[in-house]
Amino acid sequence: MNQYETFLEDILIDENTLRQRIRELGEEISADYQGKQLMLVCILRGGVLFLTDLMRALTLPHTIDFMAVSSYGTGARESSRQVRITLDLQMSVEGRDVLLVEDIIDSGHTIASVLELLRTRNPSSLKVCTLLDKFERREAEVPIDYSGFKIPNKFVFGYGLDLDEYYRNLPFVGVVKPDKYVPPD
Ligand code: IMP
Ligand code: MG
């Protein structure tokens, strides 16, 4: 596996900036959910680093649970794309104040499908918190309640986001130099 330095165009969001913004989000969410039954739902796998840092920035008692999804339907059907649940929640969302925690919202199809599904299970409330918002690429309309950073339409990696499943561990969000990145076999 290549070292990331060979294809890192630049660091878009460094470690300190991430830490600071996540602390702010934590304060905002803690204030908004005072006295409520907050349940964080993380969509695997990209949201994991954000989830664990966000949890530590919250001053409210809360529970966590996980979902995994995979998209199907590509090409001409892309704009009506639905996602398939590959791992469902362990806990019931009924009567809970559910906050979805995502790494990035790109076209918006993933989060739109998850919202549609969870709404049928009667949570008390259902909101969205994303670290990154690639707003120029939006196809599905998604209400975003908490957003860390709006980012340009560039492919990014690190801090949970992968390049062919690698490099999720990097402490910053970096931009890929496409002509320098070689996918693994
Ligand atoms: P959406 O359904 O198009 O909004 O896609 C969301 C998912 O695509 C995210 O949860 C990521 O897993 C992935 N994704 C979108 N953009 C990027 C990126 O720039 N880097 C890494 N993963 C991305
Ligand atoms: Mg993801």
Side-chain angles (χ1 to χ4, degrees):
M1 203 46 56
N2 278 332
Q3 291 302 311
Y4 68 84
E5 286 90 344
T6 58
F7 52 80
L8 175 68
E9 183 149 283
D10 60 65
I11 293 182
L12 188 64
I13 310 169
D14 67 23
E15 200 174 348
N16 270 327
T17 310
L18 284 167
R19 189 180 301 122
Q20 179 55 37
R21 182 71 186 118
I22 293 167
R23 195 174 296 149
E24 289 170 6
L25 287 171
E27 285 169 10
E28 200 183 330
I29 293 166
S30 299
D32 291 353
Y33 285 87
Q34 276 309 329
K36 301 215 162 139
Q37 291 203 297
L38 179 58
M39 173 177 181
L40 302 178
V41 169
C42 176
I43 302 173
L44 294 173
R45 289 179 282 275
V48 167
L49 272 72
F50 179 39
L51 173 80
T52 56
D53 283 339
L54 184 65
M55 288 170 70
R56 284 176 281 200
L58 292 176
T59 54
L60 288 175
H62 59 272
T63 63
I64 60 169
D65 206 346
F66 298 90
M67 277 180 100
V69 299
S70 74
S71 30
Y72 61 95
T74 51
R77 295 183 50 203
E78 204 151 20
S79 64
S80 62
R81 194 168 69 192
Q82 285 282 307
V83 301
R84 189 164 50 88
I85 306 297
T86 55
L87 174 76
D88 207 339
L89 300 171
Q90 298 294 300
M91 293 189 279
S92 166
V93 301
E94 192 166 346
R96 308 297 298 273
D97 292 289
V98 176
L99 183 60
L100 287 176
V101 177
E102 253 289 41
D103 52 351
I104 186 166
I105 301 183
D106 186 25
S107 71
H109 291 298
T110 305
I111 203 83
S113 294
V114 171
L115 283 169
E116 194 179 294
L117 172 74
L118 293 184
R119 252 183 230 118
T120 67
R121 300 181 181 176
N122 302 316
S124 175
S125 68
L126 183 56
K127 290 189 175 181
V128 174
C129 176
T130 187
L131 179 68
L132 307 175
D133 178 8
K134 225 193 250 182
F135 61 100
E136 292 163 314
R137 297 248 308 164
R138 202 60 35 76
E139 292 174 17
E141 208 181 310
V142 183
I144 302 179
D145 302 282
Y146 304 96
S147 164
F149 303 89
K150 282 189 162 40
I151 65 163
N153 182 14
K154 290 183 171 170
F155 205 80
V156 293
F157 69 110
Y159 197 73
L161 294 121
D162 69 307
L163 280 178
D164 298 306
E165 294 300 326
Y166 287 91
Y167 310 108
R168 295 186 192 272
N169 60 304
L170 300 176
F172 55 80
V173 175
V175 177
V176 186
K177 220 184 261 175
D179 55 328
K180 288 283 168 18
Y181 173 68
V182 184
D185 328 303

